[in-house]
Amino acid sequence: MALPREYTQQSCSVARALEVVGERWSLLIVRDAFFGVRRFSDFSAHLRIPRAVLAERLDFLVGEGVLERGTGTRPVYALTAKGLGLWPVVRTLAEWGDTHYGPRGPRRLFTHAGCGGAVDPVGSCSACGQGVPVGDTVMSPGPGFEAPGEGANAVSVALASPHRLLQPLR
Amino acid sequence: MALPREYTQQSCSVARALEVVGERWSLLIVRDAFFGVRRFSDFSAHLRIPRAVLAERLDFLVGEGVLERGTGTRPVYALTAKGLGLWPVVRTLAEWGDTHYGPRGPRRLFTHAGCGGAVDPVGSCSACGQGVPVGDTVMSPGPGFEAPGEGANAVSVALASPHRLLQPLR
DNA sequence: CACAATGGTTCGGTGAACGAACCAAGGTGT
DNA sequence: ACACCTTGGTTCGTTCACCGAACCATTGTG
């Protein structure tokens, strides 16, 4: 009963959510999916995560309806509508991390693709006041961003330039 | 180097944040701190967490400046300003959990202590439009709330009625 | 056709989480 | 003042999650 992902005694939505995304690596996989990572090998290369763990996590997230897997032997993984709902979680975590562990300011900036205004964690544009869908959000390197070094993987390199969220990397 | 809480290869604020709060039980401890839980035994009773794990987590969160510990052999634990910054994370997680794993609607409602308006995950009051500090937020049972059963611990019982966030339970 | 890329799966080792037991100090009641 | 209870831990042996290395089958490319 006391399975490592579960919080069986908790009658609480935070616990229910953590049962899905609270395991080690899960939220980083979800984050990468928002950034447009789609392929097993790209998740693996970017996250430097053991392949067995990645496979298990992807399976589980697909099973919970957070991600969906394309067909074939070379499937792509994409966030479902349910998975898209995790953006405020990812974003608020990033903001907190930036504030307290980002000495040079935010690593990523998020702007509205249409008007260029800053998009807040729950998706409002500071310039035009509209709710901005995740897919209309452009992510750019911020002042705290560390450029990929020599020999960095292709995903890190691709994510080092402005890029729409959810846009597949390839 | 590949310590279980760390994500050493990640140049990312989400990863930095998860290094602090991403371990099993940490975010639930933080959640409970928002609810006003202050004592070791109360965290232990409410979370049903192994005591060694709780002690280690509290130590770590204190070390990271998320919580502070009072003096004496019976210390109270309270969120620091840094810890308070995690409220949007906790709240957005709860919202996502409510949406997808709460068949009867939200388990908790959050209202502005002054005017009674609904408070959104980043702290805006829907009635008066003001930013609402966490401590001015009243948490009440919502439609999806499950009342504590027979023999439930005192913390669950205390949290079953409307209560200001951060207000110590005792 | 040969080789590389891809998406896994298996395996043994290490460490985290677990429940049970123990312990020292402080608090409370008689 | 003393005995007992409560509190906040700490220790310990067991189980399992995560890890890195190795292996493998299928597909894609030159």
Side-chain angles (χ1 to χ4, degrees):
Chain A
M1 285 301 119
L3 298 180
R5 70 170 55 113
E6 291 173 9
Y7 298 100
T8 50
Q9 303 296 331
Q10 301 296 314
S11 169
C12 164
S13 306
V14 176
R16 297 284 81 71
L18 289 174
E19 282 174 350
V20 179
V21 297
E23 283 181 293
R24 184 161 162 80
W25 298 110
S26 294
L27 270 171
L28 291 174
I29 290 168
V30 168
R31 177 209 63 186
D32 270 10
F34 277 108
F35 290 177
V37 180
R38 290 284 177 274
R39 305 295 214 71
F40 187 99
S41 54
D42 284 347
F43 285 110
S44 179
H46 191 229
L47 294 169
R48 302 290 193 84
I49 172 177
R51 312 251 287 279
V53 174
L54 178 58
E56 196 275 339
R57 294 291 184 278
L58 289 170
D59 274 351
F60 182 73
L61 291 171
V62 167
E64 285 294 321
V66 172
L67 292 174
E68 62 194 354
R69 184 196 272 118
T71 54
T73 59
R74 312 246 167 132
V76 297
Y77 294 87
L79 290 157
T80 61
K82 181 176 175 179
L84 290 175
L86 282 165
W87 177 242
V89 175
V90 171
R91 187 72 202 281
T92 52
L93 259 176
E95 296 262 335
W96 188 81
D98 278 336
T99 301
H100 299 288
Y101 297 96
R104 285 168 294 172
R107 293 178 169 88
R108 305 275 186 188
L109 302 176
F110 298 91
T111 54
H112 187 183
C115 72
V119 180
D120 75 16
V122 288
S124 296
C125 175
S126 65
C128 68
Q130 290 188 346
V132 182
V134 177
D136 290 339
T137 306
V138 175
M139 176 177 78
S140 312
F145 182 75
E146 291 171 42
E150 283 277 319
N153 64 81
V155 180
S156 296
V157 174
L159 294 179
S161 40
H163 175 70
R164 258 189 208 236
L165 290 177
L166 302 179
Q167 187 86 4
L169 295 192
R170 45 188 178 175
Chain B
M1 285 302 112
L3 297 179
R5 69 170 53 113
E6 291 174 8
Y7 298 99
T8 51
Q9 303 296 331
Q10 301 296 316
S11 168
C12 164
S13 305
V14 176
R16 296 286 81 70
L18 288 174
E19 283 174 348
V20 178
V21 297
E23 285 182 289
R24 183 158 162 80
W25 299 111
S26 294
L27 270 171
L28 290 174
I29 290 167
V30 168
R31 177 210 63 187
D32 268 13
F34 278 108
F35 290 178
V37 181
R38 290 286 176 272
R39 305 293 215 70
F40 187 98
S41 54
D42 284 348
F43 285 111
S44 180
H46 190 229
L47 294 168
R48 303 287 194 88
I49 171 176
R51 309 252 288 279
V53 174
L54 178 58
E56 198 274 337
R57 295 290 185 277
L58 290 170
D59 274 350
F60 183 73
L61 291 169
V62 168
E64 286 293 322
V66 173
L67 290 174
E68 63 194 352
R69 182 195 275 121
T71 54
T73 59
R74 310 249 166 130
V76 296
Y77 294 88
L79 290 157
T80 61
K82 180 178 178 178
L84 289 177
L86 283 165
W87 178 243
V89 175
V90 172
R91 187 71 203 284
T92 53
L93 260 176
E95 295 262 333
W96 189 83
D98 278 336
T99 301
H100 298 289
Y101 297 95
R104 285 168 295 173
R107 292 177 171 86
R108 305 276 186 187
L109 302 175
F110 298 92
T111 53
H112 188 184
C115 71
V119 180
D120 76 15
V122 289
S124 298
C125 174
S126 66
C128 68
Q130 290 187 348
V132 183
V134 176
D136 291 341
T137 305
V138 176
M139 174 177 76
S140 312
F145 182 76
E146 291 173 43
E150 284 277 316
N153 64 84
V155 179
S156 298
V157 173
L159 294 177
S161 40
H163 174 72
R164 261 194 205 229
L165 292 177
L166 302 180
Q167 185 89 3
L169 293 193
R170 45 190 180 174

